Each structure stands twice: as C-alpha cells, then as structure tokens.
Amino acid sequence: MPKDHMEELYESKNPLVLIVHNKRLSTVINLVPKGAGLRILDAGCGEGQLIERIHQRSPEHQYEGLDITPVALESAQKRCSYAKFSEGDMCAMPYADASFDVVLCSEVLEHIHEYKKAIAECERILKPGGFFIVSFPHESLHTFCRFLLGRRPLKVPDHVNAFTPRSFRQSTQLSSIKQKQLPFPLPFFLSLVCVMVFQKSS
C-alpha cells in the first residue's frame, strides 16, 4: 500500500469519491455506541482516520488498531498517539477471546481471500453483547461508476470478494440489527456502500 493511500481518498478532488468515503466514515462513527469507556478495535485500520474521527467525538473510549501494512501503521500511530496499534493478520488476530466491546471493519473484507476466517476472528474477540460494525462496497455499481468516470482498471484489482447484505449475513453467526446504504438511503442495488451492524448474543 502506498503511503497515505487512504488520505488521498478522503481528500479526493473527485466529488463522488469524496462524498462516498466521508459519508461512510461519518455513518460508522455515528453507529459506535456512546457511554462509558469502551474497548474498540479497528480491524484493518489503515492510516487511522476512522479511529481519529471517533476519538474526536468520544475521547473516553480505549482505541486499538490492527493492520497488516507497516507503512499504514506508522501513519496511524503518528495520527493517533492515544491509540495502541498492532501489526497482524485479521485471520489470526493477536487478541484473547471476548476482548472488545466494538469491532470495526470498514472497507477491508473485500481485500481478504479468506474473509470467513477474518469474520470468525472478529466474532471470537468480541465480548458478549458487543457490536461488529462492517462496511463493504457494491462491487458491480462501483465498476459501473469507474467506467463512467473513465477510471482504469474498471475493477479495483485488490478487491477479491463481493458482498451483498444477504450474503454477508450468511457469513456470520452474529445477529444483524441495523443496515444503512450510502451515499443515499436507497435500496442496496442502487447504493455504492453498505454499512451493517451486528451484535453478539449475551
């Protein structure tokens, strides 16, 4: 991953890219529970933009991030000195069972070949009653938009999976409790991104 790859998306000069990615961040942030200090993991944290923005709203929580890319973690630690970051594989995360109140996984699982193992790991480290907040792109519509915008290649090369809300529900043992489509509240087939919230049974 090039240095500051995600920062380029969040500051893109393309209005559609800018709207979609910042709307995704704000949606995920608003879905994180408020209250007493929670232990929150951003799995696939990249350069730490999501942790930074949640911390601005809720500094009382305990924040951790996991990513497989050293250059991204270097940027994340500089951006979020209050958070703890670890280098590791989502398919074998270095955390004990039931460690986190909230696990975030935003625009990550489409990049992982063994995504079912990664989802199972997120379930394992989540406390009973905890929340798993995930987002993923609508690949077909993304490809169509890239065609209209003249972007090449048409399909994002490192997207190895494609999800729908239904297929994602079938990939996890957790209970689905909320779903939002972005950038507008339209059916999934007309949306670029889906954000879903799952809860682990108590």
Side-chain angles (χ1 to χ4, degrees):
M1 177 188 293
K3 187 175 177 63
D4 297 327
H5 166 70
M6 291 305 297
E7 195 67 25
E8 292 177 5
L9 292 178
Y10 296 130
E11 297 180 356
S12 174
K13 294 180 181 178
N14 183 310
L16 181 61
V17 172
L18 189 66
I19 290 169
V20 170
H21 283 286
N22 283 285
K23 181 69 173 177
R24 171 176 58 83
L25 281 185
S26 63
T27 299
V28 171
I29 290 165
N30 288 330
L31 289 170
V32 173
K34 295 181 180 179
L38 303 175
R39 191 179 182 196
I40 298 174
L41 173 71
D42 186 3
C45 63
E47 297 148 19
Q49 288 91 351
L50 181 55
I51 290 176
E52 178 184 40
R53 297 198 193 185
I54 300 174
H55 180 265
Q56 289 171 353
R57 188 200 72 169
S58 302
E60 71 276 10
H61 297 323
Q62 177 184 346
Y63 295 94
E64 299 191 35
L66 177 82
D67 204 277
I68 201 169
T69 311
V71 68
L73 290 171
E74 181 182 345
S75 295
Q77 192 65 76
K78 289 179 180 177
R79 174 176 279 111
C80 309
S81 59
Y82 46 82
K84 179 181 178 181
F85 293 95
S86 302
E87 183 180 343
D89 186 346
M90 276 187 62
C91 294
M93 291 196 274
Y95 306 111
D97 295 356
S99 295
F100 293 93
D101 300 286
V102 180
V103 175
L104 309 172
C105 189
S106 185
E107 308 299 287
V108 175
L109 291 166
E110 63 271 16
H111 299 272
I112 300 176
H113 285 281
E114 296 183 298
Y115 71 90
K116 289 186 178 180
K117 285 187 178 180
I119 293 173
E121 278 290 273
C122 291
E123 295 173 358
R124 178 185 67 79
I125 65 174
L126 196 61
K127 294 179 181 179
F131 297 94
F132 178 40
I133 303 175
V134 61
S135 76
F136 51 84
H138 182 170
E139 288 294 337
S140 298
L141 196 52
H142 260 258
T143 300
F144 180 65
C145 288
R146 289 175 70 86
F147 169 75
L148 293 179
L149 295 170
R151 302 185 71 181
R152 296 293 184 274
L154 289 180
K155 187 179 186 303
V156 180
D158 57 347
H159 285 196
V160 297
N161 303 307
F163 302 103
T164 66
R166 181 178 181 182
S167 71
F168 201 93
R169 288 189 189 95
Q170 294 172 342
S171 299
T172 178
Q173 301 298 311
L174 306 177
S175 300
S176 174
I177 62 172
K178 193 170 292 187
Q179 175 181 325
K180 289 181 176 290
Q181 272 72 241
L182 306 176
F184 309 108
L186 298 171
F188 177 72
F189 74 92
L190 293 173
S191 302
L192 287 169
V193 175
C194 182
V195 180
M196 302 184 74
V197 183
F198 297 85
Q199 188 170 26
K200 189 171 184 177
S201 58
S202 300

